[in-house]
Amino acid sequence: MEKSNKTNFHLSKTLKSNLITYGIVIAAFLIVQLLINAGQVSSLMKGLLVPLCIYTILAVSLNLTVGILGELSLGHAAFMCVGAFSSSLFSISMLEAIPNSGFRFFLAILIGAAAAAVAGIIIGIPVLRLRGDYLAIVTLAFGEIIKNVVNVIFIGKDSNGLHFSMKNAMALNMEKDGKMILNGAQGITGTPKDSTFFIGVLLILVTLFIVLNLIHSRSGRAIMSVRDNRIAAESIGINITKYKLMAFTISASLAGVAGVLYSHNLSSLTATQKNFGYNQSIMILVFVVLGGIGNIRGSIIAAITLTLLPELLRGLNTYRMLIYALILIFMMIFNWSPKLIDLRKRFFHKNKAEREKV
Amino acid sequence: MALLEIKNLGISFGGLRAVDNFSITIEKGQLYGLIGPNGAGKTTMFNLLTGVYKPSAGTILLDGDNITGKKTKDINNAGIARTFQNIRLFKELTVLDNVKTGLHNRYSYSTLTGILRLPKYYKVEKEMDEKAIELLKVFDLDKEKDLLASNLPYGKQRKLEIARALATGPKLLLLDEPAAGMNPNETTELMDTIRFVRDNFEMTILLIEHDMKLVSGICEKLTVLNFGQVLIQGNTADVLNDPEVIKAYLGE
């Protein structure tokens, strides 16, 4: 009897921590909704709401690769790119076939996630043979490759069906009624604007559900055992390749979901250095590192803070980036300085001990 | 039939024959010791046995099955589990989760079941918890089950490593210097634990050790390695009194 009580306590402890994480997201959503209803949110801030969701999903998904699997990936934005373009293509070609925008967007999300997952598997199989710095460099390269490949694809649609080329728009040989869907570097225009803040928050919750439940399951333990000690994991019969690829693929497909949100939030989508390049990948990594590697809740908070900061500081104009940099440095010290970690731990344990006394 | 039968095993690194013409037969339920001076090739032997290195010659039979040259994870599934000379725990996982990771291949549900938290997840996790706690109790670690493995004191980390290896349900347990860094009291306690494991889990144990008190105290048979070759094999008392062994260890 006593034994079963103990195990229940163990489960409920992780459950409690998970519920707090979900709670933070839901509370943030409700507060923003209240502020919007009260007319307290500027249109600039309203425009930031969907990007906030996008960055949160990206940060949480990258944390799965960096924090839980323990491999540094610098090409995360590329999976977002795959999700964005594949779902946009789907939505535009199905605009007439599926008039219900909710259902069409739902399918678009699934397609974006699936396409990014496939990209994750294809890139993951060769890349995950490497470790550490080498893996980081190769993911960086693959990220750039994907972005550049997207820039030379031409897809058009006419009465004969779909046309595909990697040369130029003329090479498609379309009939007169033909319509360009994906026009090389000019990208995709006319994606339906289906992303909303509500759907974004819903997708954050789904992402959290998948990642947190994965971590606290049999597969999650296997993934973390590979991170903590590869040789020991192998010695107890863990299939290292399988679990590395699993974590990498799930992480990629969630980044794909963020890409779907991104592409359905803009009327024209192009793959540039700024949105799908390595700058973006590093930006996501900054969220993960500052929020605490392996700390999912920290990723959410860092993503939101660091996305909002530059906008909130806009009034300070010239000093904006200076203050942003200072805050970055302070967050880094706060999260990573051994002395401060010690201090936080002691504070936390004191609280815990007091609670247990009561 | 012998549980483990190694015939003429050998491996060389470059020109160096680290292990040469090594043969050993271990019966089921035996407590077998592998000793020898530093650099004799003892850990290399373990690495050959567990598939970390591929042998360049010889065969390894476990319970009659040829496991020579198989992958580490497949050898574990075949029934060999080990601990390491320099402790290799999953440091950021709790004590309980370390053992549950060891149970990985004995309890199964799909990743999707885990993510969707289907009823099977709760059922299997509960079984795993119970089994893991049962194992932790053997090593007197059940009170520390929610601590991170890295926060355990040294002696307990060694015990946890043995518990994790046992969790995989092996036929043969390899212990690489289990008493390294332990004080005499901890060593005595460890000897009791090893005996207990052998008797209660019906385990066959092969261990590498430098601590002669432990070796003479619990091993029934010994093999002495020197420069990658078998110096002498036999009953513990006979081997330890052999002049060749004394020479190899203490010099002329």
Side-chain angles (χ1 to χ4, degrees):
Chain A
M1 189 60 210
E2 196 195 272
K3 189 158 62 178
S4 75
N5 274 345
K6 267 184 186 167
T7 42
N8 284 343
F9 173 68
H10 175 74
L11 281 178
S12 71
K13 213 168 82 178
T14 54
L15 189 69
K16 212 161 95 185
S17 155
N18 290 356
L19 286 179
I20 292 174
T21 314
Y22 296 128
I24 288 175
V25 176
I26 294 171
F29 171 71
L30 291 177
I31 290 169
V32 171
Q33 282 299 339
L34 275 177
L35 287 176
I36 289 175
N37 288 342
Q40 294 291 315
V41 181
S42 67
S43 62
L44 183 83
M45 282 311 244
K46 271 187 198 156
L48 262 179
L49 291 177
V50 176
L52 270 176
C53 299
I54 295 167
Y55 286 122
T56 307
I57 295 173
L58 284 170
V60 171
S61 66
L62 184 62
N63 210 338
L64 183 58
T65 304
V66 177
I68 308 303
L69 177 63
E71 296 290 3
L72 190 59
S73 164
L74 293 178
H76 209 55
F79 298 121
M80 179 189 174
C81 177
V82 171
F85 276 88
S86 58
S87 63
S88 257
L89 281 177
F90 170 82
S91 288
I92 288 180
S93 35
M94 289 295 153
L95 218 45
E96 286 126 36
I98 309 173
N100 182 337
S101 73
F103 182 61
R104 190 182 58 227
F105 192 44
F106 175 71
L107 288 180
I109 291 167
L110 291 185
I111 284 183
V118 171
I121 292 173
I122 293 172
I123 293 174
I125 288 172
V127 161
L128 289 174
R129 289 171 173 273
L130 303 168
R131 256 176 275 158
D133 299 349
Y134 300 101
L135 186 132
I137 293 164
V138 176
T139 49
L140 180 80
F142 266 112
E144 292 300 295
I145 290 169
I146 288 185
K147 190 198 79 202
N148 287 320
V149 166
V150 166
N151 270 329
V152 295
I153 294 178
F154 295 84
I155 296 174
K157 189 179 161 191
D158 65 4
S159 48
N160 294 333
L162 283 173
H163 294 261
F164 174 86
S165 161
M166 288 188 79
K167 269 197 216 141
N168 52 46
M170 296 310 289
L172 291 173
N173 287 326
M174 283 198 293
E175 303 280 326
K176 279 212 179 104
D177 63 336
K179 201 177 77 186
M180 291 301 295
I181 298 179
L182 174 53
N183 192 1
Q186 281 157 29
I188 300 180
T189 45
T191 311
K193 220 164 171 292
D194 291 331
S195 296
T196 61
F197 181 48
F198 177 70
I199 294 177
V201 171
L202 217 57
L203 288 176
I204 292 178
L205 290 174
V206 171
T207 306
L208 282 175
F209 183 80
I210 291 173
V211 173
L212 291 175
N213 283 357
L214 176 71
I215 293 174
H216 300 290
S217 76
R218 176 174 167 268
S219 304
R221 279 192 298 269
I223 292 167
M224 290 188 284
S225 75
V226 175
R227 170 195 68 189
D228 280 0
N229 203 311
R230 198 179 55 86
I231 293 171
E234 237 175 344
S235 86
I236 55 167
I238 305 272
N239 187 342
I240 290 187
T241 323
K242 176 181 159 189
Y243 286 104
K244 272 175 129 180
L245 197 59
M246 180 190 286
F248 196 70
T249 307
I250 293 175
S251 165
S253 89
L254 291 174
V257 171
V260 179
L261 264 182
Y262 180 83
S263 68
H264 289 70
N265 191 38
L266 303 165
S267 48
S268 83
L269 173 72
T270 52
T272 61
Q273 193 55 43
K274 210 171 145 245
N275 58 6
F276 299 134
Y278 69 87
N279 286 335
Q280 180 79 296
S281 295
I282 298 218
M283 190 69 202
I284 308 165
L285 190 63
V286 168
F287 299 152
V288 173
V289 173
L290 288 182
I293 290 176
N295 181 348
I296 303 293
R297 203 184 299 160
S299 291
I300 303 175
I301 295 166
I304 294 175
T305 319
L306 293 181
T307 314
L308 281 182
L309 260 184
E311 300 304 325
L312 291 177
L313 295 174
R314 207 170 270 281
L316 296 164
N317 237 330
T318 347
Y319 301 108
R320 185 164 75 105
M321 289 323 277
L322 186 70
I323 295 174
Y324 181 74
L326 281 176
I327 291 174
L328 269 185
I329 294 168
F330 278 123
M331 273 178 85
M332 197 158 63
I333 293 173
F334 180 74
N335 271 342
W336 289 103
S337 144
K339 277 232 170 93
L340 276 172
I341 289 176
D342 235 37
L343 206 74
R344 278 211 317 261
K345 261 192 193 156
R346 230 180 300 154
F347 180 72
F348 177 72
H349 280 303
K350 209 173 107 196
N351 274 359
K352 205 171 139 191
E354 272 166 16
R355 250 184 287 140
E356 271 165 11
K357 244 187 260 164
V358 172
Chain B
M1 191 176 57
L3 180 77
L4 181 75
E5 212 177 337
I6 302 178
K7 281 187 209 138
N8 310 323
L9 201 68
I11 187 174
S12 38
F13 300 110
L16 176 76
R17 294 200 66 83
V19 172
D20 194 18
N21 213 6
F22 181 91
S23 299
I24 195 173
T25 305
I26 300 179
E27 302 295 332
K28 201 167 185 318
Q30 244 172 8
L31 237 165
Y32 206 111
L34 185 61
I35 62 170
N38 287 327
K42 303 183 297 295
T43 298
T44 308
M45 250 319 295
F46 270 24
N47 284 338
L48 283 170
L49 256 175
T50 53
V52 178
Y53 302 142
K54 305 271 173 281
S56 42
T59 52
I60 306 169
L61 298 179
L62 180 72
D63 231 357
D65 297 325
N66 191 345
I67 56 164
T68 323
K70 280 195 177 172
K71 283 185 185 158
T72 306
K73 70 173 170 61
D74 298 328
I75 288 178
N76 178 261
N77 289 333
I80 299 184
R82 73 175 290 187
T83 65
F84 297 87
Q85 194 174 345
N86 44 344
I87 304 173
R88 290 178 182 272
L89 286 171
F90 306 131
K91 288 185 180 163
E92 299 294 315
L93 297 188
T94 61
V95 170
L96 183 71
D97 279 350
N98 264 275
V99 178
K100 279 168 88 178
T101 313
L103 294 170
H104 185 86
N105 286 330
R106 292 168 74 195
Y107 294 83
S108 179
Y109 57 83
S110 73
T111 306
L112 203 64
T113 307
I115 289 175
L116 297 178
R117 291 286 193 260
L118 300 179
K120 196 178 172 196
Y121 164 85
Y122 292 102
K123 187 175 155 272
V124 178
E125 282 287 315
K126 192 162 178 270
E127 285 168 15
M128 288 175 100
D129 276 337
E130 282 166 4
K131 180 77 192 168
I133 288 172
E134 192 186 311
L135 264 169
L136 285 175
K137 278 201 174 130
V138 171
F139 293 91
D140 200 20
L141 284 166
D142 54 314
K143 284 181 194 70
E144 283 101 338
K145 72 182 170 71
D146 291 327
L147 280 184
L148 287 187
S150 53
N151 291 343
L152 280 182
Y154 186 80
K156 294 202 166 182
Q157 291 197 9
R158 286 234 170 255
K159 284 183 172 179
L160 177 58
E161 221 189 5
I162 301 176
R164 185 185 66 189
L166 280 178
T168 65
K171 296 172 188 166
L172 174 69
L173 182 63
L174 308 181
L175 304 176
D176 197 344
E177 297 199 23
M182 285 189 173
N183 64 37
N185 286 339
E186 286 175 322
T187 306
T188 316
E189 202 188 318
L190 180 74
M191 283 163 69
D192 292 338
T193 314
I194 293 175
R195 269 197 218 103
F196 181 87
V197 166
R198 197 265 303 265
D199 296 340
N200 282 269
F201 292 84
E202 292 166 9
M203 193 59 58
T204 312
I205 297 173
L206 171 63
L207 60 88
I208 294 175
E209 191 49 71
H210 281 299
D211 190 323
M212 282 306 144
K213 192 181 115 198
L214 187 141
V215 171
S216 57
I218 61 172
C219 293
E220 288 144 7
K221 287 189 99 177
L222 284 183
T223 288
V224 185
L225 265 182
N226 199 16
F227 298 115
Q229 285 179 320
V230 176
L231 196 67
I232 187 168
Q233 270 173 338
N235 291 329
T236 303
D238 302 340
V239 168
L240 289 181
N241 290 323
D242 191 276
E244 284 285 322
V245 176
I246 295 167
K247 196 172 110 190
Y249 260 96
L250 302 174
E252 300 277 348

